[in-house]
Amino acid sequence: VCYYYFNDTPDATVTLANIMNVAHDKFLSDQQNRDKNLENQERFAEIAGVIARAPDLAAFAGLCRVLCGTRADPVFVNLIENLVRMEESDKLAAIMTNEVDGMAVYNGAVAQHVWLPNGAGAIRKIRDIVGAQRFHEIEKAHVKTQRLTGHMYRISDKPNRHQHCNSNPWAGHFRTFKGYDP
């Protein structure tokens, strides 16, 4: 079992001390990775807090565009959690409509897609915060304009190994938005 740390078939140079050194080095490396991930999570939460506390919608939109441009990264996930907790209806509506004062919050491929809250529970919470009437108006506008939902490729538009990207997507990843309710 201990030989799995080595790439080659064990030979005479493999000793218990070597195995223990490799195991200990792996343990230290894993611990450093866990610490780094924890630091990153704390940093993501801090950045999301700054965005959520933006003094006005224009500042909020600018920070969203710069600091969480894909609407799928850890900063964005933390941002949504903050906005729901703070019950920020205007900022949640801005993300849902992708619009602040007639200007797009997000440009490019991200702007073409409807943002979908993660799960029925999140949809209900956001509907309660934004208000049922406003929520359904946003939903109807997306349905009317036949906006898309589905997979977003990397923001750089660099093709993946199958040559698909935001400007050349695989059709199976997308569907026309029919509504928020599951």
Side-chain angles (χ1 to χ4, degrees):
V1 174
C2 294
Y3 294 121
Y4 289 125
Y5 288 108
F6 294 92
N7 294 330
D8 299 326
T9 306
D11 58 21
T13 63
V14 175
T15 65
L16 183 58
N18 289 350
I19 293 171
M20 297 307 287
N21 285 338
V22 169
H24 183 70
D25 290 346
K26 180 165 179 18
F27 169 78
L28 291 176
S29 173
D30 289 349
Q31 183 63 43
Q32 289 171 347
N33 286 340
R34 280 192 294 273
D35 291 346
K36 186 175 181 180
N37 287 337
L38 183 59
E39 289 172 17
N40 285 342
Q41 289 172 3
E42 290 169 355
R43 195 174 90 243
F44 297 149
E46 185 177 331
I47 292 168
V50 168
I51 299 169
R53 291 186 303 273
D56 57 46
L57 287 175
F60 172 76
L63 290 170
C64 283
R65 187 182 292 185
V66 172
L67 298 174
C68 52
T70 65
R71 292 193 310 200
D73 59 18
V75 173
F76 187 78
V77 171
N78 278 287
L79 173 62
I80 296 302
E81 290 171 2
N82 284 339
L83 295 176
V84 167
R85 188 177 57 254
M86 297 164 61
E87 297 188 0
E88 288 280 353
S89 64
D90 290 339
K91 292 175 181 176
L92 285 167
I95 288 174
M96 291 175 69
T97 60
N98 190 41
E99 188 177 306
V100 170
D101 297 331
M103 301 287 291
V105 176
Y106 294 100
N107 290 325
V110 177
Q112 299 167 12
H113 293 81
V114 175
W115 170 70
L116 295 174
N118 191 12
I123 291 170
R124 281 190 292 274
K125 283 181 187 175
I126 291 171
R127 181 185 301 128
D128 292 343
I129 293 167
V130 172
Q133 182 177 348
R134 187 176 186 191
F135 186 89
H136 290 298
E137 288 171 3
I138 293 168
E139 186 175 42
K140 285 179 189 176
H142 289 326
V143 170
K144 184 178 178 182
T145 58
Q146 297 186 340
R147 300 273 305 273
L148 298 174
T149 62
H151 177 73
M152 278 293 306
Y153 293 90
R154 60 186 121 197
I155 204 155
S156 67
D157 207 32
K158 181 181 174 187
N160 64 15
R161 64 189 172 133
H162 307 292
Q163 301 308 309
H164 295 293
C165 55
N166 289 316
S167 60
N168 181 31
W170 180 59
H173 279 306
F174 298 100
R175 67 178 177 84
T176 303
F177 179 76
K178 303 279 189 226
Y180 286 109
D181 289 325

